[in-house]
């Protein structure tokens, strides 16, 4: 199909404008973080940071408890992703490869569980955790984050397992492998990309989670980065440089992961409901 | 499995055994050839950890939430660990409270505005992605993915800065465009403009999901359909309405439902922006439940608000699932 010059131009022009609009807040976060305070609070915005400074980052990193909370956030996130992947892998294999009574019901159950309104269940979870004397601990966070991620992990992994040709497994078993060995040596290596893509959703969910840690852990030493960041601005007043440096540090790991894994993830995401 | 031991050390509670997730009584999809095989119990063993986790960690809070909503649970009962049942008193007080109905209206409005904008803009950008050349598509995708990946709280602080009263870019631009009264506008000072900022934030974060997935869906439309439409003399608009739109309709329906559920239960952005302020005027249902239940220490009432919200969400979710299951009938 031939298109006029105008017909080619407007989509491209729109795309550039949209790109700028979507990127600008992210750009502004990083740009502000590197600008000296004089350039941040100036009558006219300084669009490109020319005098680079790292003082805001130093301020964020030196803030009380910062490193404790980094360790907390990383611990809780990594553990819940690993736990949910392990638990989900068993279930995903059964749901993809085996035929049994109640299979369909299970799939529907996980679909329902995937939509669970965790934000609205925090009072009940608070009571449960409190009755078990587990407030101000990372254990309930890890356990519930695992659960938040689990249903979608099961459903997406099921898709990845189903995509591995049955014949590979069967021929391995003809060669004398047991079913477990066939899974370990044949299917599992082929699942690696799928596991990585699936874990992205888990990382984002656990790294982002805010309401539950807000209600469960009043002790600063046991909180995570999202809570710290939301209170950072209150603590630092209008020190936007420091706030943006803190936001940048918090966002960077996820942005990097996303850029790397997004390609693999998008195909998997279309099957399930995911919000990064 | 370490997870299981963690999950079960709280299983001394009888509530767990009562918590059953309702399952549709369907077993008709059995493969007739399999049950006689060795290891008929294997599938159940494999699924058990995931199912157990779901029953305990999701079922229990749901049941607990229901139980709490029928209790008089204020600071005194909380501290002394008393269980005082008070029937439907919490529900009566919630439903007769005009403030609750304000919050319901507000939540519905907030959800509707967000979802219309997200699905509308997301669809248009998705269709644009389909029209672009390779390089421009990649450029726009990068922008979309960056917005999509931004963690909620980080994005919220950035928007607080963009819309800051002093030195915020937005006020500077509006002032430059000649709207001088906005030069010193306090965006978080009133209900309407706080909602405005949060809606811009949520739309910015949510559009990429719709746009990228809609674009992915357009790539699966068979080329022959367009060729056939062209042979029939269809113009660009006609081939869009007769080929593209019908093909994308299921996707648009399910995406709309998903966004309704996500936006309706969203908590972090609104809370991190202004804690439901000013004067509690931007509290939607999830935040209202939290502030009433935890902030004002009326845990029973908070649980009742939560439960009503959960029921509303469950209704929407079951509609959504029915639709999805109809679409994927053959795949399950």
């Amino acid at each position: 199909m031939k298109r006029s010059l105008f017909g080619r131009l407007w989509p491209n022009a729109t795309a550039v404008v949209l790109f700028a609009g979507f990127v600008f807040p992210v750009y502004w976060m990083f740009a502000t973080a590197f600008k000296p305070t004089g350039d941040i609070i100036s009558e006219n915005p300084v669009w490109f940071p020319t005098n680079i400074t790292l003082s805001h980052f130093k301020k964020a990193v030196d803030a009380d408890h910062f490193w404790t909370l980094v360790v907390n956030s990383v611990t809780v996130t990594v553990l819940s992703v690993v736990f949910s992947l392990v638990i989900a892998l068993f279930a995903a294999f059964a749901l993809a490869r085996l035929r049994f009574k109640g299979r369909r019901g299970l799939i529907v159950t996980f679909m329902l569980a995937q939509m669970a309104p965790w934000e609205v269940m925090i009072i009940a979870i608070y009571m449960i955790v409190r009755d078990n004397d587990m407030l101000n601990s990372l254990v309930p966070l890890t356990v519930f984050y695992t659960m938040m991620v689990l249903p979608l992990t099961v459903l997406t992994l099921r898709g990845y397992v189903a995509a591995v040709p049955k014949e590979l497994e069967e021929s391995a078993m003809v060669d004398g492998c047991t079913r477990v060995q066939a899974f370990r040596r044949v299917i599992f290596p082929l699942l690696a990309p799928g596991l990585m893509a699936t874990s992205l959703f888990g990382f984002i969910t656990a790294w982002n989670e805010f309401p539950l840690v807000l209600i469960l852990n009043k002790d600063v030493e046991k909180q995570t980065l999202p809570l710290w960041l939301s209170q950072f601005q209150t603590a630092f007043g209008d020190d936007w440089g420091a706030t943006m440096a803190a936001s940048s540090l918090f966002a960077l790991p996820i942005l990097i992961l996303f850029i790397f894994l997004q390609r693999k993830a998008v195909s998997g995401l279309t099957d399930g409901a995911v919000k990064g | 499995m370490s997870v299981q031991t963690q999950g079960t050390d709280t299983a001394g509670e009888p509530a767990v055994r009562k918590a059953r997730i309702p399952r549709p009584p369907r077993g008709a999809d059995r493969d007739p050839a399999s049950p006689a095989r060795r290891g008929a119990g294997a599938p159940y063993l494999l699924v058990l950890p995931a199912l157990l986790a779901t029953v305990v960690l999701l079922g229990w809070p749901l049941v607990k939430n229901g139980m709490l909503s029928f209790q008089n649970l204020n600071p005194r009962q909380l501290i002394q660990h008393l269980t005082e049942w008070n029937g439907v008193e919490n529900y009566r007080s919630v439903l007769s409270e005009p403030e609750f109905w304000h919050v319901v209206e507000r939540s519905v409005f907030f959800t509707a505005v967000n979802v219309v904008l997200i699905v509308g803009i997301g669809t248009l950008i998705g269709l644009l992605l389909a029209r672009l050349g390779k390089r421009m598509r990649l450029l726009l995708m990068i922008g979309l993915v960056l917005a999509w990946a931004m963690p909620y709280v980080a994005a919220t602080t950035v928007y607080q800065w963009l819309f800051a009263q002093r030195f915020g870019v937005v006020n500077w631009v509006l002032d430059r465009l000649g709207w001088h009264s906005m030069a010193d506008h306090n965006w978080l000072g009133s209900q309407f403009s706080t909602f405005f900022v949060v809606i811009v934030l949520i739309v910015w974060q949510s559009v990429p999901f719709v746009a990228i997935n809609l674009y992915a869906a357009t790539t699966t439309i068979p080329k022959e359909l367009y060729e056939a439409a062209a042979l029939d003399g269809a113009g660009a608009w006609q081939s869009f309405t007769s080929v593209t739109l019908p093909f994308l309709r299921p996707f648009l329906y399910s995406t709309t439902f998903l966004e309704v559920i996500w936006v309706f239960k969203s908590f972090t952005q609104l809370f991190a922006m202004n804690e439901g302020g000013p004067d509690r005027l931007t509290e939607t249902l999830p935040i209202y439940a939290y502030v009433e239940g935890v902030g004002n220490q009326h845990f029973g009432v908070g649980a009742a608000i939560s439960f009503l919200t959960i029921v509303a969400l469950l209704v929407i979710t079951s509609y959504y699932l029915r639709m999805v299951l109809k679409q994927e009938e053959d795949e399950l």
Side-chain angles (χ1 to χ4, degrees), chain B residues 13-273:
Chain B
E13 185 93 1
V16 182
R17 257 158 240 128
K18 280 187 231 144
R20 279 270 187 287
I21 292 183
R23 274 196 261 148
R26 251 215 199 88
D29 56 326
R30 243 194 313 170
D31 184 349
S34 69
R37 260 217 324 260
R38 182 175 54 88
Y44 299 101
L45 222 58
L46 289 169
V47 175
L48 192 66
L51 189 62
L52 210 64
T54 306
V55 169
V56 174
L57 298 173
L58 183 56
W60 186 13
L62 281 172
V63 170
K64 182 84 182 172
N65 200 333
M67 285 161 56
L68 289 171
S69 69
F70 296 109
Q71 287 175 28
N72 178 25
L73 192 54
N74 291 318
R76 193 176 69 86
Q77 290 83 352
L78 185 80
I79 291 161
Q80 299 182 10
H81 284 271
L82 299 171
T83 306
E84 289 179 17
W85 299 98
N86 65 348
V88 293
E89 189 47 48
N90 293 333
Y91 288 97
R92 191 173 314 160
S93 75
V94 167
L95 295 172
S96 63
E97 172 76 56
E99 183 53 28
F100 169 77
W101 294 104
H102 285 307
V103 175
V104 170
E105 277 172 28
R106 198 182 293 152
S107 306
V108 170
F109 170 80
F110 175 74
T111 306
V113 172
N114 268 306
V115 171
V116 167
L117 288 172
I118 291 166
V119 176
I121 298 172
T123 304
L124 290 174
I125 295 180
L127 294 171
L128 177 71
L129 280 170
R131 275 200 61 172
L132 290 170
K134 244 200 164 97
R135 261 177 310 181
M136 289 309 272
R137 184 183 304 139
L138 185 67
L139 180 82
L140 184 48
M141 281 268 198
I142 290 171
L144 291 169
V145 166
L146 278 172
W148 187 2
M150 268 288 269
Y152 291 169
V153 181
T156 308
T157 56
V158 174
Y159 271 71
Q160 286 173 328
W161 165 222
L162 290 171
F163 285 88
Q165 189 171 0
R166 299 187 61 225
F167 312 116
V169 181
V170 175
N171 282 354
W172 182 86
V173 169
L174 292 173
D175 184 33
R176 274 302 156 104
L177 291 174
W179 197 353
H180 300 302
S181 61
M182 295 300 279
D184 217 13
H185 181 68
N186 177 7
W187 284 92
L188 301 183
S190 77
Q191 179 188 31
F192 178 80
S193 76
T194 302
F195 267 135
F196 179 85
V197 176
V198 175
I199 288 170
V200 174
L201 163 65
I202 291 183
V203 170
W204 173 78
Q205 282 197 299
S206 311
V207 157
F209 171 81
V210 180
I212 291 175
N213 284 317
L214 185 120
Y215 162 69
T218 59
T219 57
T220 62
I221 303 176
K223 289 265 185 297
E224 296 79 23
L225 292 178
Y226 287 113
E227 285 160 14
L231 282 177
D232 293 342
W237 177 247
Q238 270 180 309
S239 78
F240 174 75
T241 51
S242 66
V243 179
T244 316
L245 211 55
F247 208 92
L248 295 177
R249 193 165 288 136
F251 169 85
L252 286 172
Y253 275 135
S254 57
T255 305
T256 305
F257 266 99
L258 269 185
E259 294 293 344
V260 166
I261 294 162
W262 280 330
V263 175
F264 194 76
K265 69 190 179 88
S266 64
F267 182 103
T268 305
Q269 296 95 330
L270 270 165
F271 193 87
M273 187 66 80

Side-chain angles (χ1 to χ4, degrees), chain A residues 3-16, chain B residues 128 131-132 136:
Chain A
R3 289 218 192 107
S4 64
L5 179 66
F6 177 76
R8 272 202 311 269
L9 207 63
W10 78 257
N12 289 346
T14 317
V16 171
Chain B
L128 177 71
R131 275 200 61 172
L132 290 170
M136 289 309 272

Side-chain angles (χ1 to χ4, degrees), chain A residues 138-164:
Chain A
L138 297 181
V139 175
L141 288 187
T142 308
V143 169
F144 281 105
Y145 292 1
T146 302
M147 187 60 226
M148 286 179 198
V149 178
L150 183 67
L152 188 82
T153 312
V154 170
L155 294 170
T156 37
L157 282 184
R158 172 180 159 251
Y160 285 114
V161 173
V164 176

